[in-house]
Amino acid sequence: MNYELRYASHPDDAKHYDTARLRKEFLIENLFMEDDITMVYSLYDRYIVGGMMPAWKVMRLNDANVSDLKAEYFLERRELGIINVGGKCRVVADDEVFEIDYKEMLYIGRGKREVTFQAIDPHKPAKLYFNSAPAHKEYPSRKVTKSEADVLALGSLEGSNDRIINRMIINSVVPTCQLQMGMTELKPGSVWNTMPAHVHNRRMEAYFYFEVPEDQAVCHFMGPIDETRHIWMHNEQAVLSPSWSIHAAAATSNYTFIWGMAGENLDYGDQDFSKITDLK
């Protein structure tokens, strides 16, 4: 178990961070280690970002540093969203059994005491990227495939941002307390995501980039609209985005990313946009 606590940063302080400090506070580099769990607990909306890679062992969610949550079990006061970016996996949540394959999501509601994960084929380990947020109510657990997603097509090839947004753990598909997650796929020839840039002071967000070719990279932009910074990222890495920060990226290739967020509301359209020409 690899556990880390990340504190919140004031935007006036963050603008003085050098590259190393910026990466230390916001970047999550190593999410997947065989038969191990990585978990970052952020004080932004008490959001958890993590990864696990079940191969030969049956892994337990309650091994993810429950003692630091001061809870009897991980989901005592939380809800959980998972996406599989590896081999097929079996998830058992108390008396419910789910099999999740590549690019499939699973929502697990508050109150599930025992959640386990097992690869179907140990030679093809699952890679489970997960987000968790505090929850006030129990909602049913549910698997969500791309065919069940609320799909939104945005951008254009001319604007280098032709993309499909698969809204999967969102209130139009799955009822949740505050957690929302989805997957955005950029088409070949497109490299920009989330343009025009926006913030939503009611919610924080986290991005996880994957399907990035090994010899390519993603440049993630963050910060206030008039004081932006960048973090260079590689395949299967995540980044935290405070509520005061934009969250956008351009890469040297097309790619896919998972967005997850939590906060005051479940209104996906609650976004305060800025003009591209206002970026500084």
Side-chain angles (χ1 to χ4, degrees):
M1 173 66 208
N2 304 286
Y3 172 83
E4 188 178 351
L5 173 67
R6 302 275 182 105
Y7 290 93
S9 302
H10 192 283
D12 287 348
D13 297 326
K15 71 181 182 180
H16 298 293
Y17 292 172
D18 62 11
T19 298
R21 179 71 185 278
L22 202 68
R23 295 173 70 86
K24 178 182 177 183
E25 298 293 338
F26 301 107
L27 179 64
I28 305 170
E29 295 186 82
N30 301 307
L31 280 161
F32 301 118
M33 289 172 275
E34 189 172 288
D35 291 326
D36 207 348
I37 300 174
T38 296
M39 188 174 89
V40 173
Y41 183 111
S42 170
L43 292 185
Y44 291 112
D45 287 297
R46 304 199 174 275
Y47 202 74
I48 287 176
V49 173
M52 64 180 79
M53 189 176 173
W56 302 95
K57 297 179 180 179
V58 177
M59 302 185 67
R60 300 173 66 250
L61 181 63
N62 284 339
D63 290 336
N65 234 54
V66 173
S67 60
D68 277 16
L69 299 179
K70 303 300 183 185
E72 184 181 346
Y73 54 97
F74 190 95
L75 293 176
E76 182 181 4
R77 301 185 299 269
R78 288 186 161 270
E79 56 189 352
L80 180 72
I82 305 165
I83 183 165
N84 190 359
V85 296
K88 197 171 185 179
C89 179
R90 180 177 294 109
V91 182
V92 180
D94 286 346
D95 57 347
E96 296 183 277
V97 180
F98 305 91
E99 289 192 355
I100 54 173
D101 212 338
Y102 189 68
K103 286 187 174 180
E104 292 182 341
M105 283 195 176
L106 177 63
Y107 170 79
I108 302 179
R110 191 188 80 163
K112 293 295 185 182
R113 285 181 168 269
E114 187 65 30
V115 184
T116 61
F117 309 88
Q118 184 176 14
I120 301 299
D121 181 355
H123 297 285
K124 298 177 181 178
K127 291 183 177 180
L128 305 177
Y129 172 71
F130 64 89
N131 288 180
S132 176
H136 63 276
K137 183 179 179 180
E138 297 178 12
Y139 283 109
S141 301
R142 180 180 164 184
K143 171 182 168 178
V144 183
T145 64
K146 284 174 62 178
S147 64
E148 299 169 300
D150 186 343
V151 177
L152 181 64
L154 287 179
S156 65
L157 184 59
E158 292 78 11
S160 302
N161 63 355
D162 192 1
R163 62 199 190 274
I164 299 295
I165 302 174
N166 302 282
R167 297 182 288 187
M168 301 172 81
I169 299 178
I170 191 169
N171 57 349
S172 60
V173 178
V174 179
T176 69
C177 291
Q178 61 169 319
L179 181 66
Q180 299 182 74
M181 292 181 72
M183 175 173 58
T184 299
E185 300 170 298
L186 276 76
K187 296 182 180 180
S190 289
V191 296
W192 276 103
N193 72 58
T194 321
M195 275 291 160
H198 66 265
V199 296
H200 28 67
N201 202 41
R202 281 69 57 193
R203 298 192 303 269
M204 63 82 63
E205 197 154 354
Y207 276 12
F208 168 77
Y209 294 96
F210 70 110
E211 293 189 327
V212 181
E214 186 177 347
D215 59 345
Q216 304 298 312
V218 176
C219 188
H220 179 86
F221 294 91
M222 64 167 297
I225 194 73
D226 60 350
E227 192 79 43
T228 59
R229 299 289 185 270
H230 70 270
I231 299 176
W232 281 100
M233 300 175 60
H234 300 284
N235 192 41
E236 297 181 349
Q237 294 183 345
V239 64
L240 297 170
S241 180
S243 58
W244 45 262
S245 174
I246 66 166
H247 28 283
T252 54
S253 170
N254 65 305
Y255 53 92
T256 303
F257 72 97
I258 304 300
W259 45 267
M261 54 189 170
E264 186 175 336
N265 63 41
L266 288 168
D267 179 5
Y268 179 84
D270 178 11
Q271 302 167 1
D272 301 323
F273 286 97
S274 297
K275 296 178 181 178
I276 293 175
T277 51
D278 288 338
L279 286 166
K280 295 180 181 178

